[in-house]
Amino acid sequence: AAGFGLAGSIITLFTVTGQIFVHGITAFCSTLLTESGATATLSLGTTNQVARFIAATNSVDIDANEWWVTTTPTVGSIDLPDALQAVCVSENIILNPLVANTTAGVIEFVVVWEPISSNGAVS
């Protein structure tokens, strides 16, 4: 979407209310990412822990048809690391463009979750 990927402009991927249990989060790059400079980075985290799930990764290292589940994206199949599964969450899940702009590309995010509080939900 327009404006997504601008350094310093956090993107809310999933709005969390109450408390949820995350069984797993996946990120699959379907269209090659490009950047405005040689240093654009992205991290996946929560509102208060911007790299909770995946630490800063150079945008151009995330290529089409790769799973981005660690700082080393992988083609084909990969086990989810511990950081992306069995996590209790009570704040929004975000994508954080940390340094320079990521200017194009598509990453598809999926979260598999269940509520652990009476008002636990994801939208």
Tab-separated table of all heavy atoms in Angstrom, residues 67 69-70 72-80:
chain	number	residue	atom	x	y	z
A	67	TRP	N	10.571	-17.735	2.388
A	67	TRP	CA	9.984	-17.565	3.716
A	67	TRP	C	10.906	-16.650	4.502
A	67	TRP	O	12.102	-16.894	4.586
A	67	TRP	CB	9.875	-18.911	4.438
A	67	TRP	CG	8.906	-19.841	3.811
A	67	TRP	CD1	9.182	-20.879	2.961
A	67	TRP	CD2	7.488	-19.833	3.961
A	67	TRP	NE1	8.038	-21.500	2.580
A	67	TRP	CE2	6.966	-20.882	3.185
A	67	TRP	CE3	6.601	-19.024	4.682
A	67	TRP	CZ2	5.604	-21.159	3.109
A	67	TRP	CZ3	5.245	-19.304	4.613
A	67	TRP	CH2	4.761	-20.356	3.828
A	69	VAL	N	11.451	-15.957	8.008
A	69	VAL	CA	11.173	-16.333	9.385
A	69	VAL	C	12.408	-16.143	10.277
A	69	VAL	O	12.336	-16.310	11.484
A	69	VAL	CB	10.620	-17.771	9.504
A	69	VAL	CG1	9.279	-17.884	8.787
A	69	VAL	CG2	11.596	-18.794	8.983
A	70	THR	N	13.533	-15.808	9.656
A	70	THR	CA	14.760	-15.442	10.367
A	70	THR	C	15.436	-14.355	9.535
A	70	THR	O	14.944	-13.982	8.466
A	70	THR	CB	15.743	-16.632	10.508
A	70	THR	OG1	16.250	-16.975	9.218
A	70	THR	CG2	15.067	-17.840	11.150
A	72	THR	N	17.803	-14.795	7.755
A	72	THR	CA	18.271	-15.461	6.540
A	72	THR	C	17.060	-16.096	5.853
A	72	THR	O	16.707	-17.234	6.137
A	72	THR	CB	19.322	-16.548	6.869
A	72	THR	OG1	20.352	-15.965	7.657
A	72	THR	CG2	19.913	-17.137	5.601
A	73	PRO	N	16.360	-15.366	4.962
A	73	PRO	CA	15.198	-15.911	4.274
A	73	PRO	C	15.548	-17.196	3.518
A	73	PRO	O	16.688	-17.382	3.077
A	73	PRO	CB	14.791	-14.785	3.315
A	73	PRO	CG	15.321	-13.549	3.982
A	73	PRO	CD	16.616	-13.971	4.601
A	74	THR	N	14.537	-18.083	3.389
A	74	THR	CA	14.781	-19.421	2.862
A	74	THR	C	13.757	-19.797	1.805
A	74	THR	O	12.560	-19.582	1.979
A	74	THR	CB	14.710	-20.449	4.014
A	74	THR	OG1	15.662	-20.065	5.007
A	74	THR	CG2	15.013	-21.841	3.530
A	75	VAL	N	14.231	-20.417	0.711
A	75	VAL	CA	13.364	-20.941	-0.353
A	75	VAL	C	12.901	-22.336	0.045
A	75	VAL	O	13.644	-23.088	0.674
A	75	VAL	CB	14.130	-21.010	-1.696
A	75	VAL	CG1	13.306	-21.700	-2.776
A	75	VAL	CG2	14.536	-19.626	-2.148
A	76	GLY	N	11.687	-22.694	-0.358
A	76	GLY	CA	11.211	-24.066	-0.160
A	76	GLY	C	10.480	-24.239	1.145
A	76	GLY	O	9.374	-23.762	1.301
A	77	SER	N	11.104	-24.917	2.090
A	77	SER	CA	10.456	-25.144	3.378
A	77	SER	C	11.453	-24.882	4.502
A	77	SER	O	12.666	-24.970	4.308
A	77	SER	CB	9.937	-26.582	3.468
A	77	SER	OG	11.010	-27.492	3.395
A	78	ILE	N	10.894	-24.543	5.663
A	78	ILE	CA	11.736	-24.243	6.823
A	78	ILE	C	10.900	-24.432	8.079
A	78	ILE	O	9.694	-24.178	8.073
A	78	ILE	CB	12.299	-22.800	6.741
A	78	ILE	CG1	13.322	-22.559	7.839
A	78	ILE	CG2	11.207	-21.780	6.746
A	78	ILE	CD1	14.114	-21.269	7.680
A	79	ASP	N	11.527	-24.898	9.145
A	79	ASP	CA	10.853	-24.984	10.437
A	79	ASP	C	10.692	-23.576	11.002
A	79	ASP	O	11.594	-22.739	10.854
A	79	ASP	CB	11.669	-25.809	11.426
A	79	ASP	CG	11.747	-27.281	11.047
A	79	ASP	OD1	10.831	-27.769	10.356
A	79	ASP	OD2	12.725	-27.930	11.452
A	80	LEU	N	9.564	-23.334	11.659
A	80	LEU	CA	9.405	-22.053	12.332
A	80	LEU	C	10.328	-22.009	13.541
A	80	LEU	O	10.352	-22.939	14.342
A	80	LEU	CB	7.963	-21.860	12.814
A	80	LEU	CG	6.938	-21.452	11.781
A	80	LEU	CD1	5.566	-21.331	12.433
A	80	LEU	CD2	7.320	-20.145	11.122
